Structure formats: structure tokens, C-alpha cells
């Protein structure tokens, strides 16, 4: 039997243990109180990079007596044991926010549960997430596992970033008083473009088409056609872009540049048309008018309904309204830009999150 055939016979869990054992390394930590950010993005999803930076900025702002330590997601298994050996009682464990809780991104959910299991005596705070679920057997197994793992932890705080996820989490953990469920906006909305880094360069000569083409896309071929025709009819230059740049195990400087470049690109646009959640959020942070379309789950629609319903530079269209997109584009093109110091929501919306991370 050749080496390739032997490798195929090794169970996936054992492979992961072997990789961890061979690659494990020490991670020197500061001597002060530490607040960890686990699963920080070091891959080319600019929305997740924005979450990682905004989460760090937020924690540094509210936890002035703590050193904030980001742990890149690719290093999780390699440094987890080193952190476990050094962690202190007052250290806080936070896990990255986003839209990867559930069965759609099982590798990330597995790492989240690994972190929760590894630190049973430290407070764990899961930053605002969207939970995905369905009636499928796969989804039901994933939810069962989530409840089983999370509910074992004696001091865990789970935040939803929209009300549909909050309602589902409250129902799932109704029998567990140790699991605290809260509702706050996506953490990126606690920041602004100036904090995250961008250039104040308002050219306003381009419309950005930032539409996804992955498993979360909800638009039909016909609807893409309506959008493209409506954009072409404006006579503005149309540029296609995305918030997913690709790549993995990227260094901090590379990630930061991806984020600042994207914000600067949005800032210099006349209008952005997008069906990406962080396409919408980064656009609003940059002060640029935004036309938003739904994706395949509830995260964009519900975020808009919960937190951005009255935002003056945002129009959200349902799928059955796409045929009327031209009139909404015309309306948005007449709007001026906002400033780079505006946040889409008031910082007081994060009060419950602040209470969970600040231990008195």
C-alpha cells in the first residue's frame, strides 16, 4: 500500500491531532490581565478582517486594564495548549463575531467549540454572530452539538447580531441559566472608517457592483440582468469588486491593507450595489450611498430591519423588487457622502456586550 493510500485511511480527527502535535509552539504572553480574541481572520475575507479589527478596537476601548491578544484562526490548534498553560483566572476569552455559527462553516464552528472546551474556568464571550439553521439532518446535528458543548461551560455569553438569531438562541438554551444570550449589532458597526483606516478621497465617478457568486447568493440570472442594465443606463463607470480577496495565513500588514484599500475604494465611489453584509456595513462606514439586496439567509435583511431601517443613505430591496431597481439607483445617485467619523449605530447599543467583558 502506497503512502497516499495510507494517508486516506487515517481518520480526520487523528490527522488534526498529528498536525497540532507536530506544529505546536509556545506563544509568549504579556504579564498583565489578558483578553483574547480567538479565530481572528488571517484569510482574505475582508468582512471577517473588519470584524477582527473592530473587535480588537472595541475591546481596547472598554478594557483599559487588559492587554488584548489576537490569535489568528490558522494558529488556533498550534498555540492553544501554550495559552492554556499560561491563562489566569481573570483573563477573558472572546471568540470572533461573524456569520459562521452553525452547520454552513463546520471547520470554524469546530474551532469555536474547541476554544470553549479548552477554557472551562474563564469567562467566554462569543461576539455578535448570525446562526444558520434549517430542517436538514445536518443542521439538526450541528445545533445539538452546539447546545451540548456551549451549555457545559459555566460562564458563557453568546451575542446575536440580529433578532432572528437571538430568538433561536434563546429557544435553544432556554433550560440553561448559565448561558447568557444577548442581542447587539455586528461589531464592525461600533467602529468608523477613520478608526479602521481609509483615505478621504471622494471622486464619486464610479458605481461599484459588489455582488457575490457563492453558496450564499440569492439573485437569479434574470435579476443580475436587471441590475446590470440599470447600472449601465446611469452612464457612470461601473466597476465590479468583492469583499473576498482570497488567500490564507496572511500577515497582519496584508490584512490591514486589504481592509483599508476596500474602505478607500468604497469611499471614492458614487454608489455601491451589494448583497454582502459587510459590503453594506463598510459602505455605510465610508459614507457612501448603498443599495442592498438580500443573500440566501436572513443576516442582511434582519440586520437592516433591526439596526439600519432608517439610515438615510441605504435602500434595501427584496428580490421581488429588483425589477424596479432603476428608480432607487437614481434616487441614491443624488445623495451626498457622509463623513468618515460616523458609525451606523449608537455606541450605547453595545451596552450589554460591554457588561459581559468588563468584570468588576
Amino acid at each position: 500500500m502506497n503512502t497516499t493510500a495510507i494517508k486516506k485511511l487515517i481518520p480526520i480527527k487523528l490527522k488534526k491531532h498529528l498536525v497540532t502535535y507536530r506544529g505546536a509552539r509556545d506563544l509568549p504572553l504579556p504579564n498583565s490581565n489578558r483578553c483574547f480574541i480567538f479565530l481572528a481572520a488571517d484569510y482574505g475575507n475582508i468582512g471577517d478582517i473588519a470584524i477582527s479589527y473592530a473587535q480588537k478596537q472595541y475591546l481596547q476601548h472598554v478594557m483599559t486594564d487588559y492587554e488584548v491578544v489576537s490569535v489568528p484562526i490558522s494558529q488556533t490548534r498550534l498555540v492553544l495548549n501554550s495559552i492554556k498553560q499560561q491563562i489566569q483566572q481573570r483573563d477573558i476569552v472572546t471568540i470572533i463575531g461573524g456569520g459562521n455559527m452553525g452547520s454552513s462553516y463546520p471547520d470554524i464552528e469546530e474551532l469555536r467549540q474547541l476554544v470553549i472546551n479548552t477554557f472551562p474556568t474563564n469567562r467566554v464571550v462569543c461576539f455578535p454572530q448570525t446562526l444558520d439553521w434549517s430542517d436538514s439532518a445536518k443542521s439538526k446535528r450541528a445545533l445539538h452539538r452546539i447546545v451540548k458543548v456551549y451549555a457545559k461551560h459555566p460562564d458563557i455569553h453568546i451575542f446575536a447580531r440580529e433578532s432572528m438569531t437571538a430568538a433561536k438562541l434563546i429557544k435553544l438554551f432556554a433550560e440553561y441559566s448559565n448561558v447568557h444570550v444577548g442581542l447587539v449589532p455586528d461589531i464592525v458597526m461600533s467602529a468608523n472608517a477613520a478608526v479602521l483606516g481609509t483615505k478621504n478621497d471622494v471622486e464619486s465617478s464610479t458605481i461599484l457592483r459588489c455582488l457575490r457568486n457563492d453558496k450564499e447568493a440569492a439573485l437569479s440570472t434574470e435579476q443580475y440582468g436587471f441590475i446590470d442594465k440599470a447600472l449601465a443606463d446611469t452612464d457612470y463607470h461601473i466597476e465590479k469588486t468583492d469583499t473576498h480577496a482570497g488567500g490564507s495565513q496572511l500577515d497582519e500588514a496584508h490584512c490591514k491593507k486589504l481592509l483599508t484599500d476596500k474602505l478607500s475604494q468604497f469611499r471614492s465611489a458614487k454608489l455601491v450595489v451589494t448583497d454582502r453584509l459587510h459590503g453594506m456595513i463598510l459602505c455605510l462606514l465610508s459614507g457612501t450611498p448603498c443599495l442592498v439586496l438580500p443573500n440566501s439567509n436572513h443576516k442582511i435583511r434582519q440586520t437592516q430591519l433591526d439596526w439600519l431601517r432608517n439610515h438615510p443613505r441605504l435602500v434595501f430591496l427584496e428580490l421581488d423588487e429588483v425589477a424596479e431597481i432603476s428608480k432607487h439607483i437614481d434616487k441614491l445617485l443624488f445623495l451626498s457622502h457622509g463623513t468618515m467619523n460616523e458609525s451606523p449605530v449608537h455606541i450605547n447599543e453595545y451596552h450589554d456586550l460591554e457588561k459581559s467583558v468588563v468584570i468588576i
Side-chain angles (χ1 to χ4, degrees):
M1 185 178 294
N2 59 37
T3 304
T4 302
I6 293 173
K7 287 181 178 179
K8 289 182 178 179
L9 294 175
I10 300 175
I12 293 176
K13 284 189 176 181
L14 180 56
K15 287 181 182 178
K16 290 177 179 178
H17 285 304
L18 289 172
V19 169
T20 301
Y21 176 77
R22 294 177 63 183
R25 63 181 182 86
D26 291 331
L27 180 67
L29 297 175
N31 293 325
S32 59
N33 293 326
R34 285 76 60 105
C35 177
F36 296 94
I37 301 175
F38 281 98
L39 314 188
D42 62 350
Y43 49 91
N45 185 312
I46 299 172
D48 289 352
I49 292 172
I51 289 171
S52 301
Y53 275 89
Q55 186 163 332
K56 186 172 185 178
Q57 183 272 336
Y58 177 82
L59 288 169
Q60 288 173 332
H61 176 71
V62 301
M63 303 185 71
T64 54
D65 295 333
Y66 279 71
E67 188 80 20
V68 179
V69 180
S70 293
V71 182
I73 190 170
S74 67
Q75 300 299 304
T76 306
R77 295 182 186 275
L78 305 182
V79 300
L80 203 57
N81 188 61
S82 177
I83 296 173
K84 181 180 179 181
Q85 299 304 316
Q86 300 176 71
I87 202 160
Q88 302 167 0
Q89 185 63 42
R90 284 184 59 82
D91 291 345
I92 306 293
V93 172
T94 76
I95 304 177
I96 207 72
N100 48 55
M101 182 179 284
S103 60
S104 291
Y105 301 92
D107 291 347
I108 299 178
E109 180 57 48
E110 181 182 345
L111 288 175
R112 181 182 293 106
Q113 294 177 19
L114 176 62
V115 172
I116 292 170
N117 278 329
T118 300
F119 303 106
T121 61
N122 293 86
R123 175 167 293 184
V124 172
V125 182
C126 296
F127 265 56
Q129 275 278 345
T130 290
L131 173 71
D132 68 81
W133 71 91
S134 69
D135 291 329
S136 69
K138 177 184 176 182
S139 178
K140 290 177 180 178
R141 287 194 300 270
L143 293 181
H144 176 77
R145 178 68 179 170
I146 285 172
V147 172
K148 181 179 178 181
V149 172
Y150 293 23
K152 282 197 309 183
H153 197 284
D155 187 10
I156 186 168
H157 300 250
I158 310 170
F159 285 89
R161 61 183 179 179
E162 31 70 27
S163 56
M164 285 185 66
T165 290
K168 184 65 172 181
L169 290 173
I170 289 169
K171 183 176 180 180
L172 287 173
F173 293 104
E175 300 176 12
Y176 302 96
S177 59
N178 57 301
V179 180
H180 307 275
V181 176
L183 171 63
V184 298
D186 185 290
I187 196 61
V188 179
M189 290 196 281
S190 71
N192 60 53
V195 168
L196 296 178
T198 187
K199 299 175 183 176
N200 189 17
D201 185 15
V202 185
E203 296 177 2
S204 300
S205 59
T206 298
I207 296 176
L208 293 179
R209 180 190 186 274
C210 183
L211 299 176
R212 64 195 315 149
N213 60 354
D214 58 13
K215 63 183 178 182
E216 288 190 34
L219 295 165
S220 67
T221 301
E222 182 182 23
Q223 288 165 336
Y224 281 118
F226 277 126
I227 295 167
D228 288 338
K229 183 179 186 306
L231 293 178
D233 288 345
T234 65
D235 292 331
Y236 279 86
H237 173 67
I238 311 302
E239 182 177 343
K240 293 184 179 181
T241 188
D242 201 356
T243 58
H244 201 293
S248 60
Q249 299 186 47
L250 307 176
D251 61 41
E252 185 175 356
H254 190 147
C255 290
K256 182 65 173 175
K257 188 175 189 306
L258 287 175
L259 176 57
T260 56
D261 285 354
K262 186 58 59 179
L263 277 165
S264 297
Q265 183 188 33
F266 281 11
R267 176 70 178 168
S268 65
K270 180 68 174 175
L271 169 68
V272 176
V273 177
T274 187
D275 60 353
R276 283 194 176 273
L277 177 66
H278 287 99
M280 172 178 72
I281 293 173
L282 294 179
C283 185
L284 296 181
L285 290 180
S286 72
T288 302
C290 189
L291 193 150
V292 182
L293 302 156
N295 71 321
S296 62
N297 63 29
H298 59 274
K299 67 182 181 183
I300 298 177
R301 177 184 294 105
Q302 204 59 48
T303 295
Q304 185 268 336
L305 288 173
D306 289 339
W307 311 111
L308 302 170
R309 185 191 297 263
N310 298 314
H311 196 285
R313 288 185 297 278
L314 186 153
V315 171
F316 178 83
L317 295 184
E318 295 288 359
L319 292 176
D320 60 4
E321 298 175 305
V322 172
E324 302 176 1
I325 194 171
S326 291
K327 66 179 182 181
H328 298 287
I329 289 175
D330 291 341
K331 173 186 173 183
L332 287 168
L333 287 172
F334 276 103
L335 299 180
S336 59
H337 281 59
T339 73
M340 296 195 303
N341 296 311
E342 300 174 21
S343 298
V345 300
H346 197 280
I347 194 63
N348 289 347
E349 299 288 0
Y350 296 93
H351 179 65
D352 290 344
L353 179 62
E354 181 177 350
K355 288 197 301 182
S356 75
V357 295
V358 179
I359 297 180
I360 300 174

